[in-house]
Amino acid sequence: MSKVLSVVLAMGVGAVLAAPGNVFADGKATFGAKKCGSCHSTDAAKASDKAPNLSYAGSKYQAAWLEAWLAKPTPVRQVKWGTLTKGTTSHDALSAGEAKEVAAYLATLTDAKVAKGAVPAGEAKGAAKVQGKLLFEKKQGCYGCHLVKGSGGKVTGGFTGPSLAEAGARLQADWIVAYLKDPNHFFPETMSPNYSKRFNDNEMKTIAQYMMSFK
Amino acid sequence: MKKIAVTAAAVFAVALLGMNIDTASAKDAKANYDHYCAQCHGTSGKGDGVNNTKDLPVSPRNHTDANEMKKLTDADVYNAIKDGGAATSKSTLMPPFGETLSDAELKDMVKHIRKLCGC
């Protein structure tokens, strides 16, 4: 009896996973079929020397950005991954349908270290924006390694870190705070210094909100 | 006899483990320089790293320039690496590495930079 029940249950689960409306299941299959895993690791404990670790992609990236980017990828970094060589790494584009599926799958890959709702939604305005700018540009010179959009929309800054020129459309503010607190948890091989004791909690939240204005 | 062999093997294993921990916690200064400093200062230390563009308000220091580098004491260099440019009244474009490198690694880095300038 229990065997029959198991089989029925298994068929039920299979049916749900295979249902056309389940973009998460389709996305995982597409991720495999497109061999995304040959460059990207989805295992938090296993870094790849070819591309960003995606084990926390659902906590790091904004879902709408992921879907749009996968359909029309443009380089986020201006050096080849893991090197100091100027240049970009090309990335295959997915069809609109595949991009939607894979983005839905990646959205399920979250990290418990990212405290949901730590940073109020929206971008910094008024005095908070001024304070964010001071922290980002003066207290620390983040643009030494990251591209940012200056006055008149001119993009300037360093190349070795990911471009932050459009970080407000790409990153989740809660992730920025979690990353500043414990960068090694997310990216042990980073070339960026650790700022965990250089900004306090409120400053990290202000920076994250300020960065949400980068679009 | 067998017990002695097991004990000896255990001691040897612990010793090996200890060695691994040492090498993992303290990367040599050249490796750290290439990973962290070369982004701006260049692998040869001439201040010509990939992040050095004409748009930067302050250029990365040329570590091979003995005339400039000898104006800084070892404590100045140590403090600048540990706490960033602000610690020596310089630009905050030089970030702090005090939470990234251990104290031993910071001290080794000062020696490495002295080698680059020969001063």
Side-chain angles (χ1 to χ4, degrees):
Chain A
M1 181 60 194
S2 69
K3 197 174 173 187
V4 173
L5 193 65
S6 303
V7 170
V8 170
L9 268 175
M11 283 170 70
V13 169
V16 169
L17 287 176
N22 193 333
V23 287
F24 154 60
D26 292 343
K28 190 172 184 182
T30 306
F31 189 91
K34 291 283 174 182
K35 301 196 171 22
C36 307
S38 63
C39 291
H40 292 282
S41 170
T42 51
D43 178 351
K46 213 172 132 200
S48 160
D49 59 2
K50 289 183 183 154
N53 188 306
L54 296 177
S55 64
Y56 49 87
S59 296
K60 177 179 179 179
Y61 301 110
Q62 295 180 22
W65 179 86
L66 263 181
E67 186 181 332
W69 192 89
L70 287 167
K72 201 181 173 189
T74 49
V76 173
R77 285 170 191 269
Q78 304 300 319
V79 291
K80 299 262 186 194
W81 179 261
T83 75
L84 297 180
T85 309
K86 195 93 188 290
T88 52
T89 308
S90 63
H91 191 284
D92 290 346
L94 301 180
S95 71
E98 290 165 343
K100 191 184 175 84
E101 292 166 3
V102 173
Y105 163 60
L106 292 176
T108 67
L109 305 180
T110 56
D111 190 298
K113 273 232 171 188
V114 180
K116 270 273 181 204
V119 182
E123 61 188 63
K125 291 196 168 77
K129 188 166 183 176
V130 174
Q131 203 207 345
K133 190 176 167 72
L134 280 172
L135 293 168
F136 188 91
E137 288 180 17
K138 302 286 183 200
K139 184 170 184 184
Q140 300 297 340
C142 307
Y143 64 97
C145 297
H146 296 278
L147 288 174
V148 289
K149 231 177 245 176
S151 53
K154 191 187 174 203
V155 176
T156 56
F159 302 113
T160 54
S163 169
L164 297 179
E166 284 163 2
R170 180 172 88 244
L171 301 175
Q172 295 187 32
D174 293 337
W175 181 82
I176 295 170
V177 170
Y179 179 79
L180 285 171
K181 278 187 183 173
D182 190 358
N184 287 342
H185 171 75
F186 297 98
F187 191 15
E189 64 276 31
T190 181
M191 295 188 285
S192 176
N194 181 319
Y195 290 99
S196 59
K197 294 199 169 66
R198 303 289 166 167
F199 296 118
N200 64 36
D201 265 24
N202 278 334
E203 287 174 332
M204 289 177 185
K205 287 175 189 171
T206 303
I207 290 169
Q209 266 194 306
Y210 172 61
M211 285 173 63
M212 289 300 107
S213 71
F214 294 3
K215 279 168 192 167
Chain B
M1 185 61 197
K2 195 178 172 192
K3 197 173 172 189
I4 293 169
V6 169
T7 308
V11 168
F12 185 64
V14 168
L16 271 181
L17 204 66
M19 279 163 65
N20 280 339
I21 287 165
D22 280 342
T23 49
S25 66
K27 272 199 197 158
D28 80 67
K30 168 73 176 146
N32 277 329
Y33 192 91
D34 288 350
H35 190 74
Y36 296 109
C37 316
Q39 300 179 70
C40 297
H41 296 281
T43 43
S44 60
K46 289 182 182 151
D48 56 355
V50 66
N51 284 338
N52 185 7
T53 65
K54 60 179 171 49
D55 293 326
L56 278 186
V58 185
S59 296
R61 187 171 286 270
N62 177 352
H63 289 151
T64 67
D65 184 341
N67 281 335
E68 281 300 310
M69 290 304 293
K70 69 186 175 194
K71 291 178 190 164
L72 300 171
T73 65
D74 280 358
D76 288 337
V77 178
Y78 174 90
N79 289 333
I81 305 168
K82 182 170 184 271
D83 291 321
T88 47
S89 307
K90 306 283 188 207
S91 168
T92 55
L93 276 170
M94 168 67 199
F97 285 93
E99 287 70 43
T100 308
L101 301 175
S102 70
D103 197 56
E105 287 175 317
L106 290 169
K107 285 172 179 156
D108 281 351
M109 189 61 80
V110 175
K111 287 184 205 155
H112 181 72
I113 288 168
R114 287 295 181 211
K115 261 189 240 163
L116 291 174
C117 69
C119 67

